[in-house]
């Protein structure tokens, strides 16, 4: 298979996913950029569906508004359109870039202020043959990454071999987190996680089915490793429910989950109020990568865990004119107003999979 290895039982290979790019144009000519990652087995919507819900419904609550009224826009969108967090978040993200452009300040300043100008990153090791996984983990460590995420879930025996071999290869100082992609029943998940606890696992992502919240709670009660939800967590209400059920010990956040910047900020603050760490993780292109870096820079003291951005490794082009500075397992905060990045229009046209939809107030 040509996809990126994982245990999720989808027939569609994960070769990166699709993306929807949004531009909000203000009366003064400033442009705010948003980007949403879409992979049907996880996201549950296609790019066309995101575009259609914006065209048919959500646009009426955004066009003609000031981006600084993002809270009112979100409230109106949620009052009138159920779910669709990805589409709402796409518009919300573009508002933050536009606010920064209009104000002449980095978007992180609008999220509480810049705490750091460089963030630590984690690296992803796909589910492959053992030798390749060990070699890739070692290569990332040599590049300066201090955190590695291992895809597991083929079998408990393989999980143990992978975790043991990688821990032995990278040493005790490297943080290891694992991702099961819904591979196990709750009972098997408990056995699987207990079997690798001795290898100092930072947290375990989505060991059971996405919708099995009670199963997650049962697993979390019976293991010593914190769990994090991903495929089963799209809204702020999902996060609150999982925390209240004591089903997770880490709150996972990206630009699609719980949907945009505003909800991500609320989720981080909620996690901190409950004494839980939050982890930013995604495989975005350049716009959403910049968004994650600004979010991490503004909330650095509340996150505690390395941010995982992997689009710069996975994808041929990030759709930016000037790439973000990644070096030695870190990402530097882009300078300039808003996200501090510029969309490469020629690259966008080259990789476009559909026609551009233009909506006017």
């Amino acid at each position: 298979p040509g996809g990126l290895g994982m245990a999720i039982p989808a027939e569609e290979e994960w070769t990166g996913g699709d993306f929807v790019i949004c531009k909000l144009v203000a009366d003064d000519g400033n442009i705010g950029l948003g980007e949403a990652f879409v992979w049907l087995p996880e996201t549950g919507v296609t790019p066309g569906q995101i575009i259609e819900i914006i065209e048919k419904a959500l646009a009426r609550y955004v066009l003609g508004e000031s981006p600084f009224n993002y809270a009112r826009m979100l409230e109106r969108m949620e009052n009138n359109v159920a779910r669709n967090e990805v589409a709402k978040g796409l518009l919300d993200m573009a508002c933050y870039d536009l606010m920064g452009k209009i104000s002449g300040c980095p978007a992180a300043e609008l999220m509480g202020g810049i705490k750091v100008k460089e963030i630590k990153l984690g690296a992803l090791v796909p589910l492959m043959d053992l030798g390749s996984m060990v070699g890739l983990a070692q290569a990332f460590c040599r590049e300066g990454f201090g955190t590695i995420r291992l895809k597991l879930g083929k079998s408990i025996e393989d999980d143990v071999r992978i975790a043991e071999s990688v821990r032995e290869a990278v040493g005790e100082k490297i943080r290891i987190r694992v991702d099961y992609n819904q591979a196990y029943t709750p009972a098997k998940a408990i056995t699987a996680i207990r079997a690798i606890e001795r290898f100092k696992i930072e947290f375990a992502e989505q060991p059971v089915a996405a919708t099995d919240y009670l199963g997650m709670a049962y697993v979390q009660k019976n293991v010593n490793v914190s769990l994090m939800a991903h495929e089963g967590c799209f809204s702020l209400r999902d996060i609150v429910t999982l925390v209240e059920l004591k089903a997770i010990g880490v709150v996972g956040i990206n630009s699609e989950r719980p949907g945009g910047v505003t909800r991500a900020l609320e989720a981080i603050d909620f996690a901190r109020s409950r004494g839980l760490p939050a982890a930013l993780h995604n495989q975005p292109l350049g716009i959403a990568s910049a968004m994650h870096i600004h979010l991490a820079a503004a909330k650095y003291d509340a996150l505690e865990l390395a941010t995982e951005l992997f689009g710069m490794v996975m994808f041929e082009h990030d759709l930016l004119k000037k790439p973000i500075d990644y070096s030695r397992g870190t990402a530097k905060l882009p300078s300039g107003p808003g996200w501090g990045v510029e969309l490469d229009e020629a690259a966008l046209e080259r990789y476009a999979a559909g026609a551009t939809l233009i909506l006017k107030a």
Side-chain angles (χ1 to χ4, degrees):
L4 189 57
M6 64 168 79
I8 191 169
E11 294 180 23
E12 179 184 340
E13 291 177 350
W14 184 34
T15 54
D18 297 310
F19 295 86
V20 181
I21 306 297
C22 171
K23 292 196 283 187
L24 288 183
V25 183
D27 290 339
D28 64 2
N30 278 302
I31 298 174
L33 300 174
E35 171 199 311
F37 165 79
V38 181
W39 186 51
L40 198 55
E42 281 191 352
T43 319
V45 294
T46 65
Q49 289 173 316
I50 291 174
I51 293 167
E52 183 177 26
I53 197 66
I54 291 174
E55 178 188 13
K56 303 297 185 183
L58 298 179
R60 71 189 67 170
Y61 310 114
V62 176
L63 295 177
E65 270 279 15
S66 164
F68 294 91
N69 292 333
Y70 61 87
R72 181 169 69 188
M73 282 186 274
L74 267 180
E75 181 179 13
R76 294 183 71 201
M77 287 192 286
E78 292 185 350
N79 285 343
N80 292 285
V81 181
R83 305 299 290 185
N84 285 282
E85 288 85 7
V86 177
K88 295 169 187 175
L90 175 65
L91 297 170
D92 181 73
M93 187 195 305
C95 282
Y96 277 81
D97 187 36
L98 186 54
M99 286 189 289
K101 299 279 182 56
I102 293 171
S103 303
C105 70
E109 294 287 4
L110 304 171
M111 304 177 194
I114 298 172
K115 305 296 191 305
V116 296
K117 293 189 176 181
E118 182 178 87
I119 66 167
K120 295 179 181 178
L121 297 177
L124 169 65
V125 175
L127 186 56
M128 305 179 289
D129 65 273
L130 179 60
S132 295
M133 292 185 73
V134 171
L136 191 55
Q138 290 176 311
F140 283 130
C141 291
R142 287 194 296 270
E143 288 180 25
F145 287 90
T147 298
I148 302 293
R149 174 161 64 112
L150 300 174
K151 291 281 190 179
L152 300 180
K154 186 176 180 181
S155 72
I156 294 175
E157 293 76 15
D158 282 346
D159 293 346
V160 173
R161 280 193 288 271
I162 292 167
E164 183 175 29
S165 299
V166 171
R167 173 55 76 196
E168 182 178 337
V170 302
E172 295 296 315
K173 292 183 179 180
I174 299 298
R175 294 187 176 194
I176 295 177
R177 56 184 68 163
V178 299
D179 182 3
Y180 292 102
N181 289 116
Q182 311 175 66
Y184 296 124
T185 63
K188 281 192 174 182
I190 292 168
T191 302
I193 294 170
R194 285 178 175 174
I196 64 170
E197 283 181 351
R198 66 184 186 272
F199 304 121
K200 295 183 179 179
I201 304 303
E202 186 177 52
F203 62 79
E205 183 179 334
Q206 202 66 60
V208 303
T211 55
D212 192 0
Y213 282 21
L214 294 180
M216 285 281 285
Y218 178 65
V219 175
Q220 184 64 94
K221 183 179 180 180
N222 287 282
V223 299
N224 295 316
V225 175
S226 291
L227 302 188
M228 186 179 85
H230 179 61
E231 290 95 321
C233 186
F234 274 88
S235 70
L236 189 59
R237 175 52 54 190
D238 292 341
I239 291 173
V240 172
T241 301
L242 286 160
V243 171
E244 294 294 343
L245 287 172
K246 294 182 172 55
I248 56 174
V250 173
V251 173
I253 295 167
N254 64 35
S255 49
E256 295 85 42
R257 308 166 199 209
V261 177
T262 301
R263 295 295 178 247
L265 290 167
E266 292 171 347
I268 293 169
D269 289 342
F270 171 73
R272 194 173 194 183
S273 75
R274 295 307 179 92
L276 299 178
L280 303 185
H281 64 124
N282 210 350
Q283 295 81 40
L285 299 176
I287 296 167
S289 291
M291 171 262 169
H292 284 88
I293 297 167
H294 277 268
L295 181 59
K299 290 292 186 178
Y300 198 75
D301 54 341
L303 293 174
E304 300 181 29
L305 304 170
T307 295
E308 191 179 308
L309 299 176
F310 218 60
M312 73 287 198
V313 175
M314 288 176 57
F315 301 113
E316 182 176 288
H317 202 294
D318 61 7
L319 301 186
L320 299 182
K321 280 192 174 181
K322 181 181 178 182
I324 294 169
D325 186 352
Y326 300 102
S327 58
R328 299 294 303 164
T330 66
K332 290 182 173 58
L333 184 71
S335 60
W339 303 138
V341 297
E342 186 178 356
L343 181 63
D344 186 332
E345 297 286 352
L348 178 64
E349 183 176 349
R350 185 164 72 250
Y351 290 101
T356 299
L357 174 67
I358 300 175
L359 303 175
K360 296 183 179 180

